[in-house]
Each structure stands twice: as C-alpha cells, then as structure tokens.
Amino acid sequence: MRKLWVLLKLNFRAMLRAFSFRSGAGSSKKKAAGGLGALLLMAFLALYLSGVYSFLLASMLAEVGIVEMVLPLMALMACVMSLMFTLFAASGLVFGGKDSDIVLALPVPAFTVMLSKILALYLENLVFCGLWMLPTGAAYWCMRA
C-alpha cells in the first residue's frame, strides 16, 4: 500500500509538471510555481464556468418553478465534462509517460503502477467535480426562496 501512495504522489507531481513551461538548471521554484498556477487556473475555470452556468440555469428554472432540478442537471454536466477530460488525458497519462520504462523497472507490480496512474486521474476528476458543484449549491440556495 505504501508503494501505491508513493507512486500516486509521483503521478500528481508529474501532472503538475506537465503544465510548467520553463526548463533548465535552477528552475525548480519556477516549475513549482507553474504547477501551482496551473492548479489554480483549473480551479478558477471550474468555479467561474460552473458559477455562470449554474446561476443562469437556476434563474431560468426558478421562473418555471423547478429550481431543484439545477442540482441534478449540473451534476450530469460535471460527469460529462469529467468524461471528456478523461478521454483527452488518459492516453497521455497512462501510455505516454516519459518515465514508464523507469517506473516499470522498479520492484513494484505493474498493476500497482497502472492503478496509481488511473487513481491520480480519477482523483483529479473528483476534485474538478467538487469544485464544479460548489457554485451549483450556491445558485440553488440563492434561487430557492
């Protein structure tokens, strides 16, 4: 189990490094800032897009009197967006890793390596869905009265 957690941490770092644009000696702080900036950008976009869609949809549904439908509709939209993100990211994360030869040569079962990659992708989608549903709850709470 410890090997899985170490590999999961490694995969999260690799996902954050994928967004950094700087390379060379002495740029580890810049890479960390690039990964953190990418994470903040993803969070901002999820909150902003969900806020816009949620409040507009909730206001339209409030006029009809079925504002409680905003929660399942936006949850469905979060699932669809997670599916799209998974389709685009899965091939690069699971099969296109530059460190696959090195990681598969470690004394760790190949199943654990692939499980850690898929689990990292799943947890990223889970965070996105959680961030997506926060403004939806706020829109429902504001429009239900």
Side-chain angles (χ1 to χ4, degrees), residues 4 7 104 108-119:
L4 177 67
L7 286 172
L104 287 172
V108 178
F111 178 77
T112 306
V113 172
M114 295 310 287
L115 180 66
S116 71
K117 290 181 182 248
I118 292 171
L119 189 61

Side-chain angles (χ1 to χ4, degrees), residues 114-133:
M114 295 310 287
L115 180 66
S116 71
K117 290 181 182 248
I118 292 171
L119 189 61
L121 185 62
Y122 172 72
L123 290 176
E124 182 187 19
N125 283 334
L126 197 62
V127 167
F128 177 79
C129 286
L131 289 173
W132 185 266
M133 291 306 290

Side-chain angles (χ1 to χ4, degrees), residues 1-139:
M1 191 60 131
R2 177 160 164 46
K3 294 176 184 180
L4 177 67
W5 292 116
V6 170
L7 286 172
L8 187 61
K9 185 178 175 182
L10 176 76
N11 285 322
F12 274 133
R13 285 185 180 174
M15 279 193 294
L16 288 179
R17 277 192 213 122
F19 291 113
S20 66
F21 299 110
R22 306 203 190 281
S23 63
S27 65
S28 62
K29 289 183 181 180
K30 292 178 183 177
K31 284 184 179 182
L36 182 63
L39 189 64
L40 290 175
L41 179 67
M42 184 187 88
F44 172 74
L45 286 175
L47 291 171
Y48 177 74
L49 289 174
S50 176
V52 169
Y53 287 139
S54 297
F55 278 96
L56 288 175
L57 184 63
S59 66
M60 290 184 344
L61 291 175
E63 291 177 5
V64 182
I66 52 171
V67 73
E68 62 273 357
M69 287 300 294
V70 74
L71 292 173
L73 288 175
M74 290 303 287
L76 178 68
M77 191 170 187
C79 289
V80 168
M81 290 187 72
S82 289
L83 177 68
M84 288 184 351
F85 288 152
T86 301
L87 289 176
F88 290 130
S91 64
L93 181 73
V94 175
F95 303 113
K98 293 180 181 177
D99 62 346
S100 294
D101 295 335
I102 298 169
V103 174
L104 287 172
L106 293 173
V108 178
F111 178 77
T112 306
V113 172
M114 295 310 287
L115 180 66
S116 71
K117 290 181 182 248
I118 292 171
L119 189 61
L121 185 62
Y122 172 72
L123 290 176
E124 182 187 19
N125 283 334
L126 197 62
V127 167
F128 177 79
C129 286
L131 289 173
W132 185 266
M133 291 306 290
L134 283 175
T136 302

